[in-house]
Amino acid sequence: MKSVITGSGIGIPKNVVRNDMLTKLMDTSDEWIQQRSGVQERHYAEAGQSSADLGMLAAQDALTAANKTTADIDAVIFATMTPAYYFPGNGPIVQAKMGFPEIPTFDIRQQCSGFLYGLDLADSLLKSGKFNRILLIGADSHTPLMPWHRGWEITFGHDREITPEEYEFNTRFRHLTVLFGDGAGAMVIERSENGERGFLHSRLFTNGSNIEALYMKGGSRTRPWIEPEQLVNGDLIPIMEGRGVFKEAVSRMPGAVRTVCSEAGVQLEEVDLVLSHQANLRIVEAVQKQLGLPPEKVPHNIERYGNTTSGTLPILFHECLTDGRIQPGMLICFTALGSGLHWGAALYRT
Ligand code: UT7
């Protein structure tokens, strides 16, 4: 028995924010952003459009592609680090709004590795025999984490002068905020007794010895968990030590790809595509070079979406499938690394 992806879909908000729009908000430039990260534009969700809403767009798309309805799904897994509410997670929202029967929903939050962890969990649950068909969603809406009260409405075309204080405040977080965009992807994954297709092997890793490399305050460690001053001081904006995370990403992801290949008895050269988390074009290129693969085998779309966290892998998969870069019989390796640190890789035969 193998777990097979039978449909995929994406949910991308309409509003496109180009780098030059961000230069009105803070001391940055299109040149810096493109050179250091490869991002040219990203999409921002509308006010009130949560990760659950984006996830549902992708989920509907994936159900349609799989020729299935909500009645055919046995469980939903939702990966996000930006749920619509502190609790409950997005699973119950999706269950009710999309009209699923009272099936179990799992909410997981492994940040940029969320979708990869979801793939492994879906595969394991299907292999356990408990479920026949799972809907896996990865979605993040980062815009509420940005200092929205500092004039960010101009990214939606509301022209106004940014005060020097707002400009300075926004500039404090420029190494982080320019990288992210909002978006979602989803897959229908099901049990199949049909030959070679499906997930072959995966490995997940966690090392929590330095969570401060990439984390966000505001939680049960502080009482109360949110104070008005935290918002004013920018204490509820993620904290990232970019260079440290960069170094981890360019060694851990290729390492995980090599591990799954070797454990599955597959030569690296047999892999047709490595679908890597899209955090930075330079990271994607470093992964490709570390693995000694040609550029076309390690595709990227960060130019158009930025880092969508749980959305990157399914959006990239869906685009490659739609434009024909993914063909039947190919060997694909998914890999990701993110806050935690969590990372890993999964091998899949289309
Ligand atoms: O999704 C998984 C988690 N995230 C990641 O994987 C991200 C990993 N890290 C990275 O992608 C990169 O480290 C960044 C893109 C975040 C930063 O690139 P960098 O080449 O490591 O730059 P840096 O942070 O070392 O900053 C270099 C300079 C600094 O100026 P000085 O001190 O040299 O004068 C920064 O203040 O660039 C400045 N800078 C900026 N300048 C213009 C930082 N952000 C910006 C900006 N615009 N947006």
Side-chain angles (χ1 to χ4, degrees), residues 91-138:
I93 300 174
V94 170
Q95 183 276 328
K97 283 203 175 166
M98 290 186 74
F100 282 95
E102 292 173 346
I103 55 172
T105 64
F106 299 84
D107 285 289
I108 63 168
R109 41 167 303 172
Q110 269 68 29
Q111 294 70 246
C112 293
S113 296
F115 201 83
L116 183 74
Y117 268 65
L119 288 174
D120 187 275
L121 180 59
D123 182 38
S124 304
L125 289 170
L126 292 167
K127 283 194 174 127
S128 78
K130 191 155 190 179
F131 304 113
N132 289 318
R133 196 172 290 119
I134 289 176
L135 173 67
L136 170 61
I137 306 171

Side-chain angles (χ1 to χ4, degrees), residues 136-158:
L136 170 61
I137 306 171
D140 273 291
S141 183
H142 300 99
T143 40
L145 299 185
M146 297 178 189
W148 203 258
H149 53 305
R150 306 282 173 158
W152 283 59
E153 69 274 15
I154 70 164
T155 60
F156 279 77
H158 303 287

Side-chain angles (χ1 to χ4, degrees), residues 27-29 32-33 36-37 112 174-175 178-180 214 240 242-243 245-246 249 277 279-280 282-283 307 337-339:
D27 181 10
T28 191
S29 66
W32 191 96
I33 301 171
R36 304 285 179 133
S37 74
C112 293
R174 62 182 177 174
H175 63 290
V178 300
L179 302 177
F180 290 88
L214 181 48
M240 180 172 75
R243 290 204 168 182
V245 179
F246 191 102
H277 172 54
N280 185 323
R282 287 160 58 213
I283 295 178
N307 182 351
L337 175 137
S339 164

Side-chain angles (χ1 to χ4, degrees), residues 320-338:
C320 289
L321 190 67
T322 309
D323 67 19
R325 276 178 287 176
I326 293 180
Q327 292 292 328
M330 277 187 164
L331 192 56
I332 292 180
C333 191
F334 296 93
T335 185
L337 175 137

Side-chain angles (χ1 to χ4, degrees), residues 44-57:
Y44 283 174
E46 301 286 332
Q49 189 179 32
S50 72
S51 56
D53 297 315
L54 296 178
M56 285 188 278
L57 292 174

